[in-house]
Amino acid sequence: MKKTKASVIEVPVDENGLDINALEKICKKKKITAVYLIPHHHYPTTVTLSVERRMKLLELSNQYSFAIIEDDYDYDYHYSSSPYLPLASGAHKGNVIYIGSFSKILGSSIRIGFMVAPKNFIQEAVLLRKAIDVGGDGYMQNALAELIKSGDLGRYLKKAKKSYHQRRDYLNILLQQHLRPYISFTLPDGGLSVWIQLKDSYSVNTLKTHSQLKIKQIDEEENAFRLGFASKNEKELEDAVLLIKKILTNSYSI
């Protein structure tokens, strides 16, 4: 943030998403320019912002004149029910910037995103983008456009959502069967990962230092880690859970 001279203020997150009361207290003390949030399946905790908090956030945005940057990158992967409508679809004064990515839908190599925002903001963003990269992957963009127009992307999403839902539920069974003495977790309504907290008697650093296990997202302060399930089949999920169990069993006595 040095180039923009912006200062970042962290706002707590709980089981209902962004703590709107904490945000309101900050707004009363300081001038807030923008609030960035992931409303569905927050990274890394996987929680979803409740409807009540969404409404309150829009009210605060109008009251204190800050922009909302709504990063809804895996909106389509919500399993327990239909996903909540975006904040951008609610009552606001043109101060919600809605962004998404096809990388989570199709693969990390598809470096294409999209944005819904007021026209003047998009025009400024285009100018900035041109300053960074004049060109773009036209072939990939045209191929993606064809997938959307033909309906193939929608059909793929339907199949992928079903597959990921099944993997999430299978991982839930494995965690309940093998790791319940060591961990606590809440099964997320959607997304591609589960946020797992180790109980106080165990340290996440035990997993961090093990050579056979590579976990990208570890939070030492919360004694927690993020376990992804989308890219693994049932055998791989079982192997991962059993390895975690083996490490904890060998390191601690219950």
Side-chain angles (χ1 to χ4, degrees), residues 74-157:
D74 63 355
Y75 171 90
D76 298 284
Y77 297 134
H78 200 74
Y79 314 122
S80 302
S81 62
S82 297
Y84 296 136
L85 289 175
L87 288 158
S89 68
H92 61 87
K93 299 177 181 178
N95 50 354
V96 179
I97 302 163
Y98 185 83
I99 57 177
S101 171
F102 290 99
S103 297
K104 298 297 182 182
I105 297 174
L106 294 172
S108 58
S109 62
I110 311 297
R111 310 306 296 173
I112 300 175
F114 59 89
M115 177 170 61
V116 180
K119 183 178 179 180
N120 61 337
F121 182 85
I122 290 179
Q123 289 173 338
E124 291 296 322
V126 168
L127 292 175
L128 179 60
R129 174 63 184 171
K130 286 183 177 180
I132 298 171
D133 181 10
V134 177
D137 192 339
Y139 292 108
M140 186 69 76
Q141 292 170 8
N142 289 333
L144 177 58
E146 185 58 34
L147 284 176
I148 296 172
K149 290 177 182 178
S150 67
D152 287 340
L153 182 62
R155 287 186 285 272
Y156 166 79
L157 272 171

Side-chain angles (χ1 to χ4, degrees), residues 40-53:
H40 283 102
H41 331 132
H42 168 265
Y43 186 91
T45 65
T46 75
V47 296
T48 293
L49 187 65
S50 67
V51 173
E52 293 78 12
R53 292 191 180 185

Side-chain angles (χ1 to χ4, degrees), residues 22-32 64 66:
L23 174 61
E24 185 173 15
K25 290 178 181 178
I26 295 172
C27 290
K28 290 178 179 179
K29 295 178 180 179
K30 299 182 179 181
K31 171 62 179 175
I32 303 299
Y64 291 100
F66 60 76

